[in-house]
Amino acid sequence: MQPVSRRLAFLASIAVIIAAPLPAKAAGGSPIVFEWSGYEEPALHPAFSAKYAEPPEFAFFGDEDEAFEKMRAGFKADLAHPCAQNVVKWRDSGLLQPLDPTRIAGWKDLNPGIMAMKNLATDDAGTAWFMPFDWGNTALIYRTDKVTPEEAKSLKIFADPKYKGRVTIGDNVDDAYALAGLVIGLRDWTKMTDEQFKQASDFLREVHKNVRLYWTDSTDINQAFSNDEVDLAWAWNETVTSLKKEGIPLEMNRDTSEGLSTWVCGYVLLKNAPDSIDRAYDFLSARNAPEVSDYMVTTFGYGHANAKGMAGIDSAVLTEKGYANVDQFLDKTLFQSPLPNELKQKMIAEFEKIKAGY
């Protein structure tokens, strides 16, 4: 989701976090949620707001590697919102404590397909560590007044010199290598060989020549499209959902010749959470409630992990948002599943070089 200057700013922020006092609150108070920007909306946890006068406290991160380093540097919160590819890393690093599914309302209503994914919600011993919450796609988004559907049929368009300075991809190593993995023909990136890693990295270097900016959050990418700075983006469903409401002519192509990437994110209970466990579980139950599903789909364009809630959404809405036939795009998807740590570290190091122009 950016260039070296932003990386230096990030390193500086780590120093500030180490020096700064940790969040303080009374035992039993509102949970601190380490979160993606935009997910603080009360409409995503109405049952919590109905039960408590005090809202949850939110602290924000731009990507999960940033969040990981902040927590390792001493930042404390009760809950955090990582995605599938990082759950094992966070767990193995000692940052998490197990979840008690009996304290989360609707746990049995969570999407069976997502819950069956290896090393996601539960480990091999059946211990729960992660509550799936939202899922969606990273895919090709294009301005329909600048790019034709024919031109947008292949992900290789990101490296087309015609779009020099008109491309944005996230400053997010997982999304970047998902794009490159698809282009070189991968569906399972956990088995990426050294040669495939080189091919993927070479493609990202070609894309870098066209990148106007590496976006970090919805504000970056929305402004870039609204200001007519970019024509192409490798981005999430929310971008199309929100900007089309503002009249920006955008489409997401989930059916490129190479496919698309699918991700699942959710909540974990942090090991050194302050003493507000009851409210933390109430927050998780509120986020998992079926009444959240419609808001999630219509406002963000994402799927809600609660299958009961998704089943209650009008079929016309599901069709409009691309969720009417999930199996249709899952057979062409690279799922952002947990990566071997050594491979993930290689990706992080190489992506920093690519963004710096090396």
Side-chain angles (χ1 to χ4, degrees), residues 22 29 55 94 120 122 139 141 155 171 186 189 192 202 209 214 246-247 267 279 294 297-298 306 311 320 335 340:
L22 300 175
L120 186 58
T122 59
I141 296 174
L155 297 179
D171 186 14
L186 286 181
W189 67 352
M192 184 181 288
D202 288 346
K209 297 175 183 177
Y214 288 94
E246 299 177 14
Y267 290 97
R279 293 197 188 195
D294 187 74
V297 172
T298 56
N306 188 298
E320 177 194 351
F335 175 66

Side-chain angles (χ1 to χ4, degrees), residues 284-352:
L284 293 176
S285 295
R287 290 260 152 150
N288 189 43
E291 59 264 29
V292 173
S293 299
D294 187 74
Y295 186 81
M296 177 75 77
V297 172
T298 56
T299 303
F300 290 88
Y302 299 149
H304 188 210
N306 188 298
K308 182 178 179 180
M310 290 291 287
I313 298 175
D314 184 271
S315 60
V317 174
L318 291 175
T319 298
E320 177 194 351
K321 301 301 181 183
Y323 293 106
N325 186 353
V326 175
D327 291 338
Q328 188 174 22
F329 68 71
L330 284 181
D331 66 354
K332 293 186 66 177
T333 197
L334 183 154
F335 175 66
Q336 293 190 23
S337 55
L339 284 164
N341 188 56
E342 182 180 355
L343 177 57
K344 180 64 181 288
Q345 294 307 312
K346 280 176 59 177
M347 288 179 175
I348 292 171
E350 197 68 15
F351 193 43
E352 289 300 318

Side-chain angles (χ1 to χ4, degrees), residues 70-149:
K70 284 184 178 180
M71 289 187 293
R72 293 217 306 175
F75 182 81
K76 292 187 182 299
D78 297 284
L79 299 160
H81 190 173
C83 299
Q85 62 273 25
N86 285 293
V87 174
V88 173
K89 174 183 174 181
W90 288 25
R91 187 186 74 204
D92 290 350
S93 297
L95 294 177
L96 310 183
Q97 60 176 297
L99 291 171
D100 181 354
T102 66
R103 301 187 68 178
I104 301 174
W107 180 266
K108 293 182 179 179
D109 294 328
L110 287 163
N111 184 291
I114 294 175
M115 295 299 285
M117 293 175 182
K118 185 176 175 60
N119 262 326
L120 186 58
T122 59
D123 59 22
D124 291 338
T127 302
W129 297 89
F130 174 84
M131 185 193 84
F133 174 61
D134 53 328
W135 59 278
N137 310 120
T138 310
L140 170 60
I141 296 174
Y142 64 99
R143 283 192 63 126
T144 57
D145 57 340
K146 303 290 183 66
V147 182
T148 68

